Amino acid sequence: MIKKMFLLSVLFLFSVTFATAESRQINYKATFGIFGKVGTIQNTLTQNKRTYKIDTTVKLAGLAKMIMGGQVEHYISKGHMENGLMVSDYYMMEQTKKKQRKLKEYRIDHQKKSVTKRYRKWKNGKLVKDEKTKLNFYAKNDLLTLYFNMDKAIKQKGKTYTLKAVGLEKQKGIVKVTVPSKENIASYKKDLGESADWYAKALIVQKNFRKKKGDILLSVAKDGFIKKAVIKDILMYGDANLIRTK
């Protein structure tokens, strides 16, 4: 369950673009209810006017690290720029744990509007599974660029946007993002603090939530990066928090 909280956390690491080529490091810590600090997330964004690359590493800490056997997760998104937005051409999700490795690779064909997924699994260094499938939906975003692009893609307050992202097959790629009006910001500030430039809420589907659906609250800083993310009331364990440290 802690593992899935981390997978969700990674969705909300970024939401900014740069006008000139630049490589930047952005770090977060994750806390989870009664467990306290459960890990760190290190992110490198490299971008110019034509292309971008996002490189993310998630490491568990403390009790979470012991429970999950030292699990490490690695994410890469690569693609091109289109009208100021990041458009994903390739997305990778890798998980290593003890003697096991899992790798998901997504290749997006924008001309054919199709996405091909390859899933591989190794045990003790031996390949035990290799599957290739075509997704039943198409999206220009992956799980990382979805939130990288929010600062430019979402303009109007008090409105709900329906977005799609590769990597969310269980919900056919669909994520609903609500940006509250000024009249409805108070509840966001209670969980996320007063100093954000703007706030949002993303609705996702996840088995670990009491009602099988969960709202992820987001605060975005003036530089466009996520400042804090909160997943409310995960089972009996409390809130999951992602807090920017650099």
Side-chain angles (χ1 to χ4, degrees), residues 12-169:
F12 311 105
L13 303 183
F14 316 96
S15 59
V16 71
T17 57
F18 296 94
T20 58
E22 183 176 343
S23 182
R24 184 170 180 178
Q25 188 77 27
I26 305 138
N27 297 335
Y28 293 80
K29 70 175 180 179
T31 64
F32 183 29
I34 61 175
F35 296 99
K37 183 179 177 181
V38 292
T40 59
I41 302 172
Q42 296 180 324
N43 318 281
T44 303
L45 168 63
T46 305
Q47 185 184 32
N48 57 39
K49 292 182 179 181
R50 294 182 298 175
T51 63
Y52 78 89
K53 179 180 178 181
I54 307 164
D55 195 313
T56 299
T57 300
V58 180
K59 294 183 178 180
L60 300 178
L63 181 61
K65 181 178 181 179
M66 183 175 65
I67 292 173
M68 299 306 298
Q71 180 173 297
V72 176
E73 295 176 7
H74 185 207
Y75 300 78
I76 291 177
S77 174
K78 295 192 294 185
H80 62 280
M81 302 301 298
E82 189 175 293
N83 299 321
L85 299 175
M86 299 180 188
V87 178
S88 179
D89 298 322
Y90 172 84
Y91 179 56
M92 182 207 80
M93 306 166 64
E94 181 183 36
Q95 178 191 105
T96 56
K97 176 182 176 181
K98 292 183 178 179
K99 297 181 180 181
Q100 183 173 283
R101 178 185 177 216
K102 297 178 182 179
L103 180 65
K104 295 179 183 179
E105 292 180 290
Y106 300 83
R107 300 183 187 278
I108 305 173
D109 188 325
H110 298 289
Q111 288 187 334
K112 296 181 179 179
K113 294 187 177 181
S114 65
V115 182
T116 301
K117 172 185 175 182
R118 185 180 185 185
Y119 170 68
R120 284 175 285 177
K121 181 178 180 180
W122 291 262
K123 285 187 177 181
N124 298 314
K126 181 180 179 181
L127 182 66
V128 295
K129 183 174 289 188
D130 189 348
E131 300 175 343
K132 185 178 287 188
T133 57
K134 183 173 287 188
L135 300 190
N136 60 1
F137 67 91
Y138 160 77
K140 288 187 174 183
N141 281 311
D142 57 42
L143 289 176
L144 295 180
T145 62
L146 175 71
Y147 290 91
F148 263 106
N149 286 329
M150 276 207 305
D151 199 44
K152 287 186 175 294
I154 294 178
K155 300 293 184 182
Q156 188 175 340
K157 304 297 187 294
K159 183 178 179 180
T160 297
Y161 295 79
T162 300
L163 307 175
K164 277 192 174 184
V166 169
L168 287 173
E169 290 92 311

Side-chain angles (χ1 to χ4, degrees), residues 1-12 30-34 38 41 147 191-192 200-219 226 228-243:
M1 197 277 297
I2 292 173
K3 166 198 164 187
K4 291 195 174 182
M5 187 280 290
F6 262 85
L7 291 174
L8 290 172
S9 297
V10 174
L11 302 181
F12 311 105
T31 64
F32 183 29
I34 61 175
V38 292
I41 302 172
Y147 290 91
D191 290 302
L192 298 167
K201 176 175 66 177
L203 178 64
I204 55 88
V205 177
Q206 172 55 247
K207 291 181 180 179
N208 292 329
F209 295 112
R210 290 173 180 170
K211 296 180 180 180
K212 295 185 179 180
K213 292 184 179 180
D215 289 331
I216 301 177
L217 306 179
L218 306 168
S219 67
I226 297 297
K228 185 177 180 180
V230 176
I231 308 172
K232 297 293 294 179
D233 297 325
I234 303 178
L235 295 177
M236 74 289 291
Y237 299 106
D239 299 345
N241 294 275
L242 186 71
I243 303 165

